[in-house]
Amino acid sequence: MTFHLRDASPADLPVITEIYRDSVLNGTASYEITPPDQAEMTSRFEGIRSKGYPYIAAEGEGGTFLGYAYASAFRTRPAYRWLVEDSIYLAPEARGRGVGTALLKELLVRCEALGFRQMIAVIGGASAASVSLHRSLGFEMTGTLKGTGFKHGKWLDTVLMQISLGEGTATSPDPNTYPGSLFAE
């Protein structure tokens, strides 16, 4: 499959909303039950982008939108500012074709360049495909939270995976640079 990566834009929000809608209704990556509308997805997009987090789109031949990935705060407390959480959502026709791998690789590069030191994956439904994708790029299993969600008539586990970025915990971060400046202490 031929595709390229680029920054996601507000013009992508209708298809981002539709891909997420499909994931909410048919998958377990999100524990939402009711898909948010485009206004809500726009608000979420703007909130992530306004803080400087990367939000990436995968586009196929002829401009076909294949998926998206973004990083965001894992938690909002200041000491967490060096840690990001990744999110990846793909159109059904893009799954299993290397699009998710390319998106996550690019997300890792961008987050490291911004100065983040750790990335965590919170994998709803303990998706084997998502666990495999993250493991293939160096994420390590850090835990499984049993029965954390109930969706599609069954209890779901949540898998946590983590990877160090840059110098990881080997050195102290510079609080005067991004992402240090994200939160006032």
Side-chain angles (χ1 to χ4, degrees), residues 15-35:
V15 70
I16 286 172
T17 301
E18 187 52 40
I19 288 171
Y20 189 67
R21 174 183 173 74
D22 178 70
S23 292
V24 168
L25 293 176
N26 301 306
T28 59
S30 170
Y31 281 7
E32 288 193 77
I33 303 297
T34 304

Side-chain angles (χ1 to χ4, degrees), residues 45-142:
F45 176 83
E46 290 171 351
I48 291 165
R49 296 286 296 153
S50 71
K51 291 184 174 56
Y53 293 108
Y55 206 121
I56 307 164
E59 189 173 79
E61 294 177 20
T64 304
F65 195 92
L66 301 172
Y68 64 98
Y70 60 87
S72 59
F74 172 67
R75 295 260 175 111
T76 58
R77 303 288 192 266
Y80 283 114
R81 69 185 171 268
W82 308 102
L83 169 68
V84 288
E85 178 180 345
D86 74 276
S87 293
I88 305 164
Y89 292 95
L90 302 176
E93 64 273 14
R95 294 176 189 149
R97 297 182 167 203
V99 177
T101 299
L103 283 165
L104 184 52
K105 280 183 183 178
E106 181 66 15
L107 202 58
L108 288 164
V109 167
R110 291 186 187 198
C111 287
E112 184 173 327
L114 288 170
F116 291 102
R117 296 297 188 93
Q118 303 288 325
M119 183 179 284
I120 189 166
V122 180
I123 303 172
S127 163
S130 188
V131 169
S132 178
L133 165 62
H134 285 83
R135 184 174 284 128
S136 76
L137 294 179
F139 281 74
E140 295 179 0
M141 184 73 71
T142 56

